[in-house]
Amino acid sequence: MIEMTPKLSHRQLLFASTALLGANIGSSTFSFAMGLFLLKNYSSAAVFGLSQAIGPVVSLLIAPILRTFIDKVSKQRIISAAQLLSICGLLLFAALLQLFKLDFIVAILFILVVLRIADQIFDVAYMASVTLIVNQHDIPKLKSYEQMVSSFSTIVGPVLGAACFTAFGMNFTIFIVLELLCELIALIVMRWLKFRAEPQITAVTATQNELAYIFHDHLLFFAIWLGSAINFFYSAFSIGLPYIQIHILKLSSQVYGFSEAAMSIGILLTSLVLSRKSGYAQPLFTSWRTAVGFSGLFLVMGSVLTIGLPSKLIFSIFIISFNLIMGMMLAVLDTPVLVWMTERIPNELQGRVFNIMRTTVQVLMPIGIIIASWSFDHVAAGSVFLVSGILFVLIVVLYPRFFNLSLKGV
């Protein structure tokens, strides 16, 4: 039995953050390289959209399988197995390209599926392990550190990816090697973590239905629904902004990389502030209020695109500033509600509930991506953002009132 002293809990914070940093830097660089390759070689937003839609679809398909063992098997073993799956998938991806000369698009689809399966397993197991690796007092700090690590990685990833593109072109070997090294570092450091004994799964908790638990807890259901709505509408940004920069305005890869990094800088700065908090007085209300403001960003982008800006330089400055603000809002949206959920959900149910949560918040993403991809190919970009913003504002504002939920104080 491990005694989680304050000193050990602090050391665990550093280990977990270091492991996530290693994995995220490799993943961010690798993802940026694939996305930029698809944008530069295929003129349709649908091709880029397909690469973005694969992940949520895979997550949806493996969710029923994951729920059968996530709360029954050691979380540390599950995390290690997920990282080994990523490493094996990358090695096979390299073999498909170098030895078997498989078509690049087919190989990309393969590795996207493998990495998403590994990521889904890792993320659910890790989210359910937070209470096992740190004291409750350190949970808000750990969640903020996770946001900081993620945002720092996505600052470094696009810049590093753009630099590798300039130096090596489409020699994907460098990206594969970099991702493999990062995954190995993450695997080694994650094995250094010490896990508390996991809660015993009784006959009652083993058969307890996580869906019934979620539906019974109206506030938890609202938190999951809010995440689903944000992810659905965020598809307009994730598909539209890269498409606008590369194909409509034809901005350079460097500008694209810095605009992507700006969002992460916003998340990093805000997460740094949030990491100094020991808790949140009104986490759900804070996230909901921020979601209302976030929906307004769609209207701002739509208005700017409709009116137009006089030069590429001015738009470059605008898009970098816009992404910075969007990143700040995303941090405030995510961190408080994740801490609230970690503390609210019973330990013996966390694996299954977080599995449902991750699946549910992504289930609308493929639909959103398909709609956004078609829209940006056939409709003016400004109109797409304006319509998305109006719908988003209405849904987020009206939902609590429609279901008579009082979020103040929660």
Side-chain angles (χ1 to χ4, degrees):
M1 183 69 178
I2 297 173
E3 182 184 357
M4 192 62 63
T5 63
K7 183 178 180 180
L8 177 58
S9 182
H10 179 72
R11 190 175 70 179
Q12 299 271 88
L13 281 173
L14 298 179
F15 282 165
S17 301
T18 302
L20 292 176
L21 178 63
N24 286 351
I25 286 179
S27 177
S28 178
T29 306
F30 193 73
S31 297
F32 177 84
M34 287 195 294
L36 188 56
F37 171 83
L38 294 175
L39 285 168
K40 282 185 171 293
N41 288 275
Y42 298 91
S43 59
S44 173
V47 175
F48 181 67
L50 175 63
S51 71
Q52 301 299 298
I54 287 175
V57 172
V58 172
S59 295
L60 181 62
L61 293 176
I62 70 168
I65 301 172
L66 185 55
R67 75 172 297 274
T68 62
F69 64 85
I70 189 64
D71 284 321
K72 299 177 182 178
V73 181
S74 164
K75 300 296 190 302
Q76 189 171 30
R77 291 181 181 178
I78 295 175
I79 288 170
S80 296
Q83 291 173 308
L84 288 172
L85 177 60
S86 295
I87 293 170
C88 293
L90 287 165
L91 290 173
L92 185 54
F93 174 62
L96 291 175
L97 289 178
Q98 301 298 326
L99 300 179
F100 300 100
K101 307 300 181 184
L102 190 67
D103 181 77
F104 189 80
I105 292 298
V106 177
I108 285 290
L109 295 180
F110 162 78
I111 193 59
L112 285 175
V113 170
V114 173
L115 291 180
R116 174 49 64 129
I117 292 173
D119 287 347
Q120 177 80 354
I121 296 172
F122 176 90
D123 289 344
V124 172
Y126 178 79
M127 290 175 72
S129 300
V130 169
T131 57
L132 305 178
I133 60 177
V134 296
N135 289 329
Q136 185 171 357
H137 178 76
D138 286 328
I139 291 176
K141 186 172 291 187
L142 178 58
K143 289 299 178 184
S144 296
Y145 281 9
E146 290 169 11
Q147 286 276 16
M148 292 167 62
V149 163
S150 177
S151 57
F152 178 77
S153 301
T154 48
I155 293 169
V156 174
V159 175
L160 182 58
C164 290
F165 251 103
T166 302
F168 302 101
M170 275 314 303
N171 180 5
F172 239 75
T173 302
I174 186 66
F175 296 106
I176 296 172
V177 171
L178 179 60
E179 171 75 329
L180 280 170
L181 288 175
C182 290
E183 290 291 346
L184 284 171
I185 291 171
L187 175 61
I188 293 170
V189 177
M190 194 63 75
R191 292 297 299 177
W192 291 346
L193 283 173
K194 298 182 183 298
F195 284 63
R196 280 195 185 104
E198 300 193 28
Q200 293 297 315
I201 303 299
T202 65
V204 174
T205 56
T207 58
Q208 189 172 357
N209 189 288
E210 62 273 22
L211 282 174
Y213 174 81
I214 292 170
F215 282 117
H216 180 72
D217 189 333
H218 294 166
L219 291 175
L220 179 60
F221 179 81
F222 168 77
I224 294 175
W225 173 90
L226 184 63
S228 301
I230 292 169
N231 273 10
F232 175 76
F233 284 102
Y234 183 72
S235 302
F237 281 140
S238 64
I239 299 299
L241 293 185
Y243 184 71
I244 290 167
Q245 292 176 76
I246 299 296
H247 286 294
I248 296 180
L249 297 173
K250 301 188 183 303
L251 302 178
S252 68
S253 300
Q254 286 74 22
V255 171
Y256 174 54
F258 283 118
S259 70
E260 290 290 295
M263 184 188 304
S264 301
I265 292 174
I267 296 175
L268 178 62
L269 294 175
T270 306
S271 298
L272 182 61
V273 174
L274 293 176
S275 69
R276 300 179 182 275
K277 290 180 171 289
S278 58
Y280 304 95
Q282 298 180 322
L284 276 189
F285 180 70
T286 299
S287 292
W288 173 78
R289 186 173 53 186
T290 306
V292 175
F294 186 72
S295 62
L297 293 180
F298 289 80
L299 302 178
V300 172
M301 178 58 69
S303 300
V304 168
L305 290 174
T306 301
I307 296 171
L309 291 174
S311 70
K312 287 185 179 180
L313 175 61
I314 293 177
F315 189 87
S316 298
I317 295 172
F318 166 76
I319 195 66
I320 291 173
S321 303
F322 182 89
N323 279 356
L324 179 68
I325 295 171
M326 184 162 60
M328 295 170 71
M329 285 192 170
L330 286 173
V332 179
L333 275 169
D334 288 345
T335 306
V337 75
L338 285 174
V339 172
W340 177 81
M341 292 177 71
T342 302
E343 295 175 341
R344 186 179 184 88
I345 301 168
N347 289 340
E348 63 273 12
L349 276 174
Q350 284 199 5
R352 282 169 286 168
V353 172
F354 281 131
N355 181 42
I356 290 293
M357 184 205 74
R358 275 190 57 82
T359 304
T360 304
V361 298
Q362 295 181 79
V363 71
L364 293 179
M365 279 190 71
I367 300 174
I369 288 171
I370 291 170
I371 293 173
S373 299
W374 182 90
S375 298
F376 284 109
D377 276 339
H378 296 90
V379 182
S383 299
V384 176
F385 282 115
L386 285 174
V387 172
S388 299
I390 292 170
L391 292 175
F392 195 12
V393 169
L394 290 174
I395 290 174
V396 173
V397 170
L398 294 179
Y399 181 90
R401 297 183 181 182
F402 185 79
F403 287 94
N404 197 28
L405 288 177
S406 177
L407 300 178
K408 287 190 176 182
V410 180

